[in-house]
Amino acid sequence: RTLIKTAERAQVERTVVDEPVTVILSRKGWIRARTGHSLDTSQLSFKDGDALLQTLECKTIDPVTVLAASGKTFSVAATDIPSGRGDGAHVNTLVNSGSDDIVWMGSGDPQRRLLMNSSAGLGFLCRLGDLVTKTRQGKDFMKVDEGARARPPALSSHEFVAALSSDAR
């Protein structure tokens, strides 16, 4: 007497309010977000021995991509970043970056051109969308030699880049 039929799959929808947010990253890897743009950075407080590394103005619907010193990239949804009244959360709680230092974060147009570089003097051009990842494990994006560190990328609006070495080459 029981009617057996195929069940419908449950759909989980997560709605996110599209509003401006400022993401704050400290030198020791603590990350937090505050609502709105044009944040007064002089009013920010950090743990003892820590300081501001970077702020990033984006929207709550944007992915935030972070670059580790080893050349690995990670992506975090801006809505997953804790609110900014306290110290926030360490980046390791949001992605599996291990003990690797975070050197840069970015968000915005995936077609924006970046000049990636390391302290060893190696570099290349890419687009911001190339750094985006889908897993917490991240992506080995650039090779960084032993003893060197990835450096924050520079924005590039040109197709070619000229470089000058310290020994005038």
Side-chain angles (χ1 to χ4, degrees):
R1 296 182 187 185
T2 303
L3 178 62
I4 299 174
K5 62 179 185 176
T6 306
E8 294 180 20
R9 302 219 23 96
Q11 301 264 341
V12 176
E13 272 189 32
R14 182 176 167 191
T15 58
V16 177
V17 178
D18 183 0
E19 62 184 8
V21 67
T22 301
V23 180
I24 304 157
L25 179 65
S26 77
R27 293 186 188 275
K28 292 190 176 179
W30 291 86
I31 193 167
R32 55 191 166 172
R34 285 224 179 134
T35 305
H37 288 169
S38 302
L39 189 68
D40 182 13
T41 56
S42 65
Q43 301 297 318
L44 298 175
S45 62
F46 297 93
K47 292 183 177 211
D48 289 339
D50 204 358
L52 177 67
L53 176 66
Q54 182 183 352
T55 60
L56 175 68
E57 293 181 349
C58 61
K59 294 190 173 232
T60 52
I61 59 171
D62 295 335
V64 175
T65 302
V66 294
L67 173 68
S70 66
K72 211 167 183 179
T73 62
F74 305 90
S75 294
V76 179
T79 57
D80 293 343
I81 299 172
S83 69
R85 286 296 169 203
D87 293 322
H90 200 275
V91 174
N92 286 346
T93 61
L94 303 173
V95 296
N96 293 338
S97 64
S99 61
D100 213 358
D101 292 337
I102 302 299
V103 296
W104 176 81
M105 65 179 172
S107 184
D109 180 16
Q111 295 303 314
R112 184 170 52 166
R113 296 174 64 86
L114 300 173
L115 174 62
M116 305 299 291
N117 63 89
S118 72
S119 60
L122 303 174
F124 59 93
L125 287 170
C126 69
R127 299 189 189 285
L128 179 60
D130 298 336
L131 279 71
V132 175
T133 64
K134 292 185 171 122
T135 65
R136 286 178 50 102
Q137 306 306 323
K139 178 193 302 189
D140 289 323
F141 188 72
M142 62 187 281
K143 184 177 183 322
V144 177
D145 295 334
E146 186 74 32
R149 293 172 53 95
R151 300 184 47 159
L155 296 176
S156 173
S157 58
H158 304 288
E159 187 174 343
F160 299 103
V161 176
L164 179 67
S165 70
S166 60
D167 58 347
R169 288 199 265 163

